Amino acid sequence: MENKIIKEMRKIKSITNKTGSPLVNMGPIRLRQPLPSHTVEKVDPFILLHHYGPYAISEFNNPFDLGPHPHRGFEPITLLYKGEQLHRDSLGNEMLVKAGDVQWTTAGRGIIHAEGPSKEFVQNGGELEGIQLWLNLPAEKKMMQANYQHLKSEDIPVIENQDKSIKLKIVAGNIQGVKGLIITQTPVNVFNVYAKESGTMNIDIPENHQSLFYLLDGEVLVNNESLLKKGAAQMLTFSEEGDFISIESKIKSTMLILSGEPINEPIAQYGPYVMNTQTEIMEALRDFQQGKMGYLY
């Protein structure tokens, strides 16, 4: 009887916004940017979501080769879905990120990193696709020591729906008592969801979290009311009220679900720096020029 009452008290999160994933130019790279957009400025604490690829990488076409560049004040995260990327940083890390892997960088007071398809991948050719995500840090942690975490695909905890048609990989956070391996600086959930066919699943999201659902590929009905398709509307945001969302995959689909406890602090952003004030941005520019964020060649 008690379990029945608990189930009846659960409430689905209402959809607050439905938006596309427009193509934008980032230097020589053309990619999708659903966040920020003209309809959704941020989903606190997430401030940027870039969906790049799939690109056909070869020796004659390699647009996604980002040389050394700095970051401060947030966590740049890469979720790789296809291909291979080489990560290098000023902490001395050099890691090959493969499809399904995650690279989670805590820029903190400053880091220089570079990423791009590995030489072997470029020579052999293949498709490259990923998500670049910017996760804000609260003021008290913006100047923390930089750090890097690499999570291999095979090590990511997984839960499945009843008929095993949908699996959810817990990159960070926790769900149904299963915890992700990434150490986070604020309460966040990062879930990769894969449907191999049609199926349904309810996904728990804490009531005090801001959250979003992004469709990379396929066709999915969310909360039995909003149908998302690749190339059309691909992102939804939700109210904080409520404690779960429901998904129904129509075909083979790939999805990303993010949620986090809002930081609720002012943001000053300039290029690769995310701070709280313009003075702190000027300090970041000076510190980079003076080599205080390290070096990478």
Side-chain angles (χ1 to χ4, degrees), residues 87-288:
H87 166 93
R88 299 185 299 120
D89 64 44
S90 53
L91 300 177
N93 297 299
E94 185 170 315
M95 304 291 292
L96 183 63
V97 185
K98 297 184 177 182
D101 291 1
V102 176
Q103 62 175 51
W104 192 292
T105 305
T106 303
R109 68 181 65 173
I111 193 171
I112 312 293
H113 79 153
E115 56 186 331
S118 65
K119 288 182 181 178
E120 292 78 8
F121 185 70
V122 172
Q123 289 170 356
N124 295 330
E127 283 196 321
L128 181 73
E129 182 177 20
I131 293 283
Q132 171 86 178
L133 180 67
W134 286 17
L135 171 60
N136 199 13
L137 287 170
E140 62 182 14
K141 294 188 176 182
K142 283 190 178 295
M143 295 297 284
M144 69 181 289
Q145 183 66 45
N147 186 44
Y148 175 75
Q149 300 175 78
H150 182 181
L151 188 56
K152 293 183 178 180
S153 178
E154 59 266 27
D155 295 331
I156 301 176
V158 177
I159 63 170
E160 295 180 302
N161 64 344
Q162 192 168 5
D163 65 5
K164 300 188 183 303
S165 58
I166 301 175
K167 69 177 180 179
L168 181 150
K169 302 187 75 171
I170 306 163
V171 173
N174 63 81
I175 185 170
Q176 297 180 15
V178 183
K179 192 171 183 180
L181 300 179
I182 291 289
I183 298 170
T184 65
Q185 300 304 316
T186 58
V188 295
N189 291 319
V190 178
F191 303 144
N192 271 327
V193 186
Y194 303 90
K196 60 184 179 182
E197 55 191 32
S198 60
T200 62
M201 190 178 198
N202 288 341
I203 299 168
D204 298 338
I205 298 175
E207 188 160 11
N208 64 331
H209 280 205
Q210 291 192 15
S211 54
L212 68 82
F213 173 101
Y214 182 74
L215 180 74
L216 284 89
D217 197 16
E219 187 175 323
V220 178
L221 181 67
V222 181
N223 287 1
N224 202 34
E225 65 171 286
S226 189
L227 185 67
L228 300 187
K229 295 182 180 181
K230 183 179 179 180
Q234 289 181 236
M235 191 181 85
L236 299 172
T237 61
F238 303 88
S239 64
E240 290 184 30
E241 187 180 356
D243 55 14
F244 77 99
I245 65 171
S246 72
I247 63 171
E248 179 185 348
S249 59
K250 301 296 187 180
I251 57 175
K252 183 179 179 181
S253 303
T254 303
M255 303 150 263
L256 174 65
I257 295 173
L258 306 174
S259 81
E261 192 173 289
I263 294 174
N264 291 323
E265 291 178 353
I267 292 176
Q269 182 180 340
Y270 179 80
Y273 310 119
V274 181
M275 304 302 289
N276 298 108
T277 67
Q278 287 300 321
T279 299
E280 291 170 333
I281 293 292
M282 297 301 293
E283 290 170 350
L285 289 164
R286 181 199 62 203
D287 288 350
F288 169 61

Side-chain angles (χ1 to χ4, degrees), residues 11-23:
K11 182 178 180 181
I12 198 164
K13 286 182 175 287
S14 61
I15 296 169
T16 57
N17 199 291
K18 182 176 182 178
T19 185
S21 188
L23 287 163

